[in-house]
Amino acid sequence: MTIKLMNELEISEKKVLIRTDLNVPIENGIIKSDARILAAIPTIKLAIEKNAKVIVMSHLGRPVEGYYSEKYSLLPVFEYLKKKLNKTKIYFSRNYFDNISINPGEVLILENVRFNKGESENSDELSKKYSSLCDVFVMDAFGSAHRMQSSTYGIGKFVKIACAGLLLMSEINALKKALKKPKRPMISIIGGSKVSTKFNVLNELSKISDTMIVGGGIANTFLAINHKIGKSLHQPEFISTAKKLLDTYNIVIPIDSRVGKHFNNTSESINKLPSDILEDEEIMDFGDETIKKTVNIIKKAKTIIWNGPVGVFEFPNFRKGTEFIAKAIANNNGFSIAGGGETLSVIDMFNIKEHISYISTGGGAFLKFIEGKKLPAIQMLENNFKKQF
């Protein structure tokens, strides 16, 4: 992988456009998790220290493209960054294609790129507009590195210099450490609702993991191989696929579960064996014996890859499995890497951020990298590097 790195470039007084991932959960104007913002700040600060004219862009949520929506505005993020960068002049712009005037050492935050028509389609016209804003483009949004869009990929075709930021490189290096030569035993914990969206990841991780633990709807699909699981979330069309994986690799599935009759935060939690689940019940968490078994596996691990909760952790009655597993990972002295939006929420909920070796800001990109696929943003940086010679 041959790409330019921002920290190696002379960018003083140059307009530097940084594509960050500031896609954070916001409710009623309040940021619920600042993990991605905090991860983006070091690259922004480095550009400030290098006396660049710093321009920052990101997406937020999934608004209707081409239309402004207050719900998806980056204004709350701008207000947050103003406090974090309190010694720096920082501005916000909605109509940034008209004219940008900024001095060295100052920061301009651009409004949500997904308000721009053509962003998701990787429009050349929009990509050219982005490129006209800067002298140097910095790709630092690992969480969007798997998307071939104008602000993450298309701009690289038209800007003279495209390079990688600090976060992007730290993400790639951490994932390589976990995947290329992991210390053994290596375990992976994959939760979430659908086998279909994570089948390739399950397949690839199963090959290199000594043990794989599955939770959530994914685990339910494995349980459905041999059990009737009531109205539990699962994918019947993937049961045969799950069986092949289970027969081939060392995959740990629940031996008991917490079930409820209603999908809400007041539903009673009952611990049951899979064979005892009734038609009107649904699995929403690991049971006590499964928790004991998985925590013991985690204690012995030297490398841990974690993506997704193992139950409906938003409901207090179905949080125990995710909580015990999260805290077991935090107490492990080996190398742990966690990724995915819900995983970040779990880490915040149980206040274990300082005890995870590396927290990836990516969800889809995290999974694609694990699958062994080249991320479009990395390909873009490599292509841009080749253009220089």
Side-chain angles (χ1 to χ4, degrees):
M1 184 175 70
T2 309
I3 59 178
K4 287 185 181 293
L5 306 177
M6 188 194 92
N7 58 320
E8 297 175 350
L9 296 178
E10 174 53 59
I11 56 175
S12 179
E13 300 190 4
K14 292 183 178 178
K15 286 189 287 185
V16 176
L17 177 59
I18 307 174
R19 176 48 162 107
T20 56
D21 183 6
L22 305 176
N23 183 32
V24 294
I26 299 175
E27 291 180 14
N28 300 317
I30 298 171
I31 294 168
K32 307 303 287 184
S33 171
D34 61 359
R36 283 178 170 154
I37 306 176
L38 294 175
I41 286 176
T43 299
I44 297 171
K45 281 187 172 179
L46 179 61
I48 295 168
E49 290 166 8
K50 283 176 167 278
N51 201 40
K53 300 173 182 178
V54 187
I55 307 163
V56 177
M57 67 174 174
S58 175
H59 76 283
L60 179 68
R62 298 179 181 273
V64 177
E65 203 169 274
Y67 298 93
Y68 172 80
S69 167
E70 185 178 350
K71 177 183 177 182
Y72 296 108
S73 173
L74 278 167
L75 196 56
V77 176
F78 162 69
E79 296 294 345
Y80 180 97
L81 283 169
K82 265 205 304 189
K83 294 174 184 175
K84 285 290 181 182
L85 305 172
N86 61 344
K87 294 182 180 179
T88 302
K89 287 187 177 179
I90 179 169
Y91 311 96
F92 185 75
S93 177
R94 275 182 62 182
N95 303 309
Y96 43 85
F97 293 127
D98 295 342
N99 182 39
I100 283 185
S101 178
I102 184 172
N103 296 315
E106 296 179 344
V107 177
L108 177 65
I109 309 296
L110 307 184
E111 183 57 284
N112 192 343
V113 295
R114 288 189 177 166
F115 291 161
N116 299 323
K117 193 73 174 173
E119 166 66 18
S120 61
E121 296 173 0
N122 190 33
S123 155
D124 277 355
E125 182 181 354
L126 181 59
S127 298
K128 286 178 183 176
K129 285 184 178 181
Y130 288 143
S131 69
S132 70
L133 299 176
C134 65
D135 302 306
V136 176
F137 172 63
V138 181
M139 180 56 188
D140 206 38
F142 179 77
S144 297
H146 62 305
R147 302 191 185 282
M148 197 174 283
Q149 299 180 342
S150 289
S151 67
T152 61
Y153 183 85
I155 184 174
K157 293 192 292 183
F158 304 103
V159 75
K160 185 177 179 182
I161 298 173
C163 61
L166 301 178
L167 176 62
L168 186 71
M169 289 313 302
S170 68
E171 294 268 11
I172 291 169
N173 291 335
L175 282 166
K176 282 183 176 179
K177 180 179 178 179
L179 296 171
K180 299 300 180 185
K181 291 183 179 179
K183 289 186 177 180
R184 302 283 177 180
M186 172 189 172
I187 70 166
S188 48
I189 302 159
I190 304 295
S193 59
K194 295 182 179 180
V195 172
S196 58
T197 58
K198 296 185 178 180
F199 170 70
N200 290 335
V201 174
L202 291 170
N203 196 41
E204 292 303 315
L205 275 182
S206 295
K207 293 175 185 176
I208 62 172
S209 300
D210 296 294
T211 305
M212 170 175 282
I213 298 164
V214 291
I218 292 172
N220 296 346
T221 301
F222 280 90
L223 285 172
I225 297 169
N226 296 312
H227 301 282
K228 292 181 179 180
I229 54 171
K231 58 179 183 179
S232 303
L233 175 68
H234 71 294
Q235 291 181 281
E237 69 274 24
F238 275 86
I239 290 174
S240 60
T241 301
K243 186 177 187 309
K244 288 177 184 175
L245 286 173
L246 192 62
D247 290 343
T248 307
Y249 303 109
N250 185 24
I251 298 175
V252 173
I253 65 174
I255 51 180
D256 62 344
S257 304
R258 275 186 171 73
V259 304
K261 293 194 175 184
H262 308 285
F263 190 81
N264 58 45
N265 62 3
T266 59
S267 180
E268 182 186 1
S269 170
I270 307 168
N271 204 101
K272 282 196 169 187
L273 296 173
S275 56
D276 295 335
I277 295 171
L278 303 178
E279 286 186 10
D280 63 344
E281 294 176 329
E282 57 184 311
I283 299 169
M284 290 193 275
D285 193 11
F286 278 178
D288 290 334
E289 292 304 313
T290 303
I291 291 171
K292 286 179 188 176
K293 182 177 181 179
T294 52
V295 165
N296 284 333
I297 293 169
I298 292 167
K299 282 180 180 177
K300 298 171 186 175
K302 294 288 193 294
T303 303
I304 302 169
I305 294 179
W306 174 29
N307 175 258
V310 299
V312 188
F313 71 99
E314 298 92 341
F315 299 163
N317 290 344
F318 301 97
R319 184 176 294 165
K320 187 175 180 180
T322 299
E323 179 178 2
F324 273 64
I325 283 173
K327 290 180 177 177
I329 295 169
N331 290 328
N332 181 283
N333 292 322
F335 180 77
S336 55
I337 181 166
E342 284 192 322
T343 315
L344 296 181
S345 296
V346 171
I347 289 168
D348 284 342
M349 177 178 283
F350 301 121
N351 195 29
I352 58 171
K353 187 185 298 183
E354 303 302 319
H355 303 287
I356 305 297
S357 306
Y358 192 85
I359 299 172
S360 174
T361 58
F366 179 85
L367 297 176
K368 290 292 182 187
F369 195 97
I370 289 172
E371 286 176 35
K373 294 182 178 178
K374 176 157 283 190
L375 302 176
I378 302 301
Q379 186 65 61
M380 175 273 292
L381 292 171
E382 290 178 346
N383 292 342
N384 185 269
F385 184 88
K386 290 174 186 175
K387 285 197 305 184
Q388 310 303 312
F389 303 97

